[in-house]
């Protein structure tokens, strides 16, 4: 005599969870991630399907990822020979961005460019707060002449100007103190 236990087949929709492994390079962070589809239907014996709360993707290694969008197609690992999913693979999209930080620079000298006149700047040093990617700001040095007043076309006399700052791409000035400096141009050469 053979006894068969028949269990009814259950269909249930559950969320798919992206499994990330590895460590991002310093200065990077995961800003967002998306899966398509982000849910799957689990089909199988009711006792097995009721235990499934989420389905994890195969691991996605982010240890060598760069800033930008990482796209991969990932399989959904089998959980039992009697349980199947409505999709076997999902498309993963991970947005990786650079960590933004602010950094203060004190006592930055202000140079004067493009004049043959004698130039005096007051104050001749300013304080800057810059914002940008952590990897850039940590190593950034403001060399002499990278903060300056462009005196092109300015005549002898007194002028009030906002210093210009030469910065790498993605780095911006948040604040300059003072926001303007006084420039005095006199005859007699530098």
């Amino acid at each position: 005599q053979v006894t068969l236990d028949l269990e009814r087949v259950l269909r249930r929709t559950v969320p798919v969870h992206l499994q990330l492994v590895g460590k991002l390079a310093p200065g990077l962070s995961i800003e967002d991630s998306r899966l398509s589809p982000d849910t799957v239907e689990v089909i199988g014996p009711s006792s097995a399907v009721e235990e499934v709360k989420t389905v994890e993707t195969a691991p996605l290694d982010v240890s060598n990822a760069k800033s930008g969008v990482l796209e991969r197609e990932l399989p959904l690992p089998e959980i039992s020979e009697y349980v199947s999913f409505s999709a076997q693979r999902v498309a993963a999209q991970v947005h990786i961005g650079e960590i933004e930080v602010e950094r203060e620079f004190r006592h930055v000298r202000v140079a004067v460019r493009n004049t043959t006149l004698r130039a005096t700047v007051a104050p001749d040093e300013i304080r800057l707060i810059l914002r940008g990617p952590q990897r850039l700001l940590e190593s950034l040095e403001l060399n002499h002449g990278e903060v300056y007043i462009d005196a092109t076309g300015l005549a002898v006399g007194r002028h009030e100007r906002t210093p210009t700052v030469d910065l790498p791409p993605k780095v911006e000035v948040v604040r300059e103190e003072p926001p303007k400096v006084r420039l005095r141009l006199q005859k007699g050469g530098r």
Side-chain angles (χ1 to χ4, degrees), residues 34-55:
R34 291 197 174 97
L35 292 172
S36 178
D38 60 356
T39 61
V40 291
E41 192 174 52
V42 182
I43 306 147
S46 60
S47 61
V49 171
E50 285 173 355
E51 291 181 20
V52 179
K53 305 294 183 227
T54 64
V55 175

Side-chain angles (χ1 to χ4, degrees), residues 110 113 126 145-150 162-166 173 176:
V110 179
R113 290 185 183 176
I126 63 171
E146 289 181 324
V147 177
Y148 63 93
I149 301 296
D150 185 354
T162 299
T164 300
V165 185
D166 283 343
V173 176
E176 288 183 41

Side-chain angles (χ1 to χ4, degrees), residues 1-94:
Q1 178 180 9
V2 175
T3 306
L4 293 174
D5 283 335
L6 296 176
E7 208 173 332
R8 70 183 180 95
V9 173
L10 183 63
R11 293 174 167 272
R12 181 172 170 206
T13 301
V14 297
V16 178
H17 179 260
L18 177 60
Q19 186 183 173
L20 297 174
V21 296
K23 188 175 178 182
L24 286 171
L28 295 178
S29 69
I30 293 176
E31 296 175 345
D32 185 32
S33 64
R34 291 197 174 97
L35 292 172
S36 178
D38 60 356
T39 61
V40 291
E41 192 174 52
V42 182
I43 306 147
S46 60
S47 61
V49 171
E50 285 173 355
E51 291 181 20
V52 179
K53 305 294 183 227
T54 64
V55 175
E56 286 216 337
T57 65
L60 175 58
D61 188 359
V62 295
S63 54
N64 293 320
K66 306 267 186 260
S67 177
V69 179
L70 176 62
E71 293 182 311
R72 295 284 187 278
E73 192 172 290
L74 300 171
L76 297 176
E78 189 177 291
I79 54 175
S80 131
E81 65 179 304
Y82 303 111
V83 176
S84 63
F85 303 125
S86 58
Q88 307 308 306
R89 305 177 85 66
V90 294
Q93 193 177 67
V94 181

